[in-house]
Amino acid sequence: MPAPSQIRILPDVVANQIAAGEVVERPASALKELIENSLDAGASRILAEVADGGRKLISVTDDGSGMGRDDALLSIERHATSKIHEAADLAHIATLGFRGEALAAIASVSQFTLTTRTAEALGGVEVLVFGGKIQEVREVGCPVGTQVQVRNLFFNIPARRKFLRSAQTEFIHIKRVFTLAALSRPATAFQLRVDAADMFQLPAANDMLERLNDFYGAEFAAQLRPLDFDAGNVRITGFAARPSFTRADREEQIVFVNHRAATAPVINYAIASVYQNLVPGGRYAPVFIHVHLPAELVDVNVHPTKREVRFHRPMEVREAVADAIRSAISGISSEAARTTATPRPPGHVMPPRPEQPFFDTFRAFPAPRPAPAPAAAPRPPVPTPAPGAMPAAAMPAGSPWAWFRILGRVGGIYVVLETNEGLVLLDPRAAHERIIYEHVLQLGKARPQESQGLLPPVTVELSARDAQALRRHLDALRAMGFSVAEFGADAFLVDAVPAIMSEISPALLLTDLASALVQSGAEALREGWMHERIAEISGQRAVTTFEELAETELYRLVEDLARTEMPYTSPRGRPTVILLNMSELHRKFGRS
Ligand code: ADP
Ligand code: MG
């Protein structure tokens, strides 16, 4: 006799509760799903309400398409969706939802009310669900759109309810979800009500900057520069902060992929790589990045929460994001182009440029100064000097200002400039570090792997662990310009180092490189390590006494800084300039 079958198909309610474990991690995840549904339904206004950190209530009301009676009932069934019809649709998803499991999952673990009405219907319908079981369906009067109320999440799963954090902690997650949604769709009005008090009221905005302005305030928004970068398949838009404006965490590094808030390691990597050597360690520049690409080049179906995405060609995306940020933060600010009032032109003529760069700090490199990078894009119009004024030396495209003049010094240290952008305070030492840093990098690029021989050669002894790491990468070291040979147990003989590092003691270089290799493996041999060392060299070489500088020398310094690729910070992340642009000045003085 065959053994009685042990396998059972789970009842729907149980299956939904299991799915809820994946989709609904906490109140904030329910809120996220509800807001996504409202956006997919074409809402122009969305009201989110929470009570007790979402533990008591999560409610979302929209003025979207609404649902008829049959759809309202279907919507809380498992795998019921209006957004895709067949497997092939998964390859090009244009809506935020598509799995058809959110409402079913949420309704199975809460006391759930769905109230909805389409524009054509005379009245609405209300569906009451209690722990996944429909209690009541009734006709109600209600405006066009949908309201979903979720009460006492996990009331029927004590084990999950117990794991909810304090109302405060849950609220942090809720606020994050709301923030991401509000930033993803500037054209939609968003409102957040917390324990019956309004916390955010964001009117429909014309564009992302307006939304950022409403959300974070004008001071914050003034620090952002627009991104717009087209790399064929991939287009990047959004905003990136000037490197001098940083935060202690990554909260304001926000990425959207085809309007969906997303995380993708390649994008984090791209952001970090651009700001490396521009911001101090442990600080993060706010960025708001929209990646637009054909839906078939991205996979959003990686995880039930749809937060992590995968790109089919990650390197393309990574490069596009990095290039977009780089050109935005090194380019001339767009405020200048928009300013209607023409600032007064400089009364000072730039002294002619001599062949030698300012300060003879590059003695190790008798090579001629490399030409400034060619202009990448046509520059926006800049205010031209008034008739009768002396002409200013033209600055290359991408300079932070088109003209400047030195007004004086503050405290014998900081240089005060008037520029077409507004008022600028400049720290000459930080500026000099930046100039040297880029100069050395340029030379390194012009003559890659050039070595500087050591006479006599130097023996370096390392710890067994460091020696082992170094031994494994000797070939890569040689490719960088080191000439290194094993020399006994854990010792190495160095008879050449990369020319751009010839000023650092070879023993220090090797020890440092070895410990970097131990920590980060071959990754350490990429540009990062080299750049950090060069930043150090720049710091050591930068002139420390600027008090005595003649005006012509200061002019040269400012001009050299303006020609660098990243003029706003020193290679070690200190600001080189503090810029008060005309619109900030007007605002501070209360002019409109
Ligand atoms: P998905 O969003 O993945 O399709 P959901 O369970 O979140 O799955 O929603 C199921 C269906 O219910 C949706 O496909 C949609 O047709 C409908 N729906 C849900 N929320 C709304 C809403 N706010 N307005 C209109 N229709 C909605
Ligand atoms: Mg959904």
Side-chain angles (χ1 to χ4, degrees), residues 33 37 83 97 102:
E33 293 295 336
N37 281 348
K83 299 169 194 175

Side-chain angles (χ1 to χ4, degrees), residues 96-226:
L96 294 166
F98 55 86
R99 300 172 63 108
E101 59 190 2
L103 288 191
I106 295 168
S108 75
V109 293
S110 67
Q111 294 151 18
F112 180 99
T113 312
L114 168 68
T115 313
T116 186
R117 188 190 137 196
T118 61
E120 302 78 45
L122 293 176
V125 59
E126 187 165 85
V127 184
L128 290 128
V129 188
F130 192 86
K133 296 202 180 82
I134 294 180
Q135 302 290 302
E136 203 180 331
V137 183
R138 62 176 179 225
E139 290 182 1
V140 291
C142 64
V144 174
T146 303
Q147 178 177 62
V148 176
Q149 294 174 314
V150 178
R151 291 200 167 74
N152 303 320
L153 188 68
F154 300 138
F155 79 102
N156 52 348
I157 312 186
R160 301 283 315 270
R161 178 117 187 133
K162 212 169 62 198
F163 276 102
L164 291 183
R165 299 308 186 81
S166 68
Q168 228 172 350
T169 305
E170 293 302 340
F171 179 68
I172 290 172
H173 292 274
I174 284 170
K175 192 173 158 212
R176 180 75 180 165
V177 162
F178 180 83
T179 304
L180 293 177
L183 295 180
S184 76
R185 301 289 179 102
T188 308
F190 276 89
Q191 192 177 349
L192 177 62
R193 202 173 281 162
V194 180
D195 296 319
D198 277 332
M199 173 164 275
F200 285 104
Q201 262 184 307
L202 303 163
N206 287 315
D207 54 31
M208 191 176 191
L209 187 59
E210 212 173 291
R211 178 53 55 90
L212 288 168
N213 205 85
D214 289 343
F215 198 86
Y216 293 105
E219 296 281 330
F220 184 105
Q223 299 296 329
L224 302 174
R225 300 185 147 227

Side-chain angles (χ1 to χ4, degrees), residues 431-566:
H432 198 208
E433 283 187 30
R434 165 58 54 186
I435 296 165
I436 298 174
Y437 176 75
E438 291 200 8
H439 187 77
V440 175
L441 277 188
Q442 291 252 22
L443 290 171
K445 261 186 213 145
R447 299 191 266 158
Q449 288 108 44
E450 183 162 321
S451 294
Q452 170 82 43
L454 299 177
L455 263 180
V458 179
T459 314
V460 183
E461 274 197 52
L462 297 178
S463 72
R465 188 195 57 167
D466 286 3
Q468 193 197 357
L470 206 63
R471 227 175 272 128
R472 239 185 286 138
H473 294 100
L474 278 183
D475 282 346
L477 257 66
R478 289 184 188 123
M480 287 165 77
F482 285 97
S483 167
V484 193
E486 289 189 62
F487 195 65
D490 289 326
F492 296 84
L493 188 72
V494 189
D495 59 14
V497 297
I500 50 176
M501 298 195 194
S502 58
E503 284 172 34
I504 309 181
S505 119
L508 273 183
L509 269 184
L510 236 55
T511 331
D512 194 87
L513 186 52
S515 62
L517 281 169
V518 168
Q519 271 174 29
S520 8
E523 186 70 14
L525 293 175
R526 304 240 249 146
E527 287 181 340
W529 178 80
M530 189 97 101
H531 286 178
E532 263 172 47
R533 297 289 80 68
I534 297 172
E536 237 164 66
I537 302 171
S538 314
Q540 286 158 9
R541 280 208 217 152
V543 171
T544 46
T545 50
F546 282 88
E547 292 83 355
E548 318 266 285
L549 287 186
E551 190 164 85
T552 52
E553 291 172 314
L554 274 182
Y555 266 95
R556 189 98 58 249
L557 179 79
V558 177
E559 209 194 334
D560 282 349
L561 177 70
R563 285 173 197 279
T564 59
E565 257 175 60
M566 296 289 179

Side-chain angles (χ1 to χ4, degrees), residues 33-34 37-38 40-41 62 64-67 71 75-77 80-83 96-104 114 116 145-146 148 306:
E33 293 295 336
L34 299 182
N37 281 348
S38 298
D40 281 345
D62 67 51
S65 63
M67 286 175 271
D71 278 351
S75 72
I76 48 175
E77 293 288 329
T81 178
S82 56
K83 299 169 194 175
L96 294 166
F98 55 86
R99 300 172 63 108
E101 59 190 2
L103 288 191
L114 168 68
T116 186
T146 303
V148 176
K306 298 163 285 175

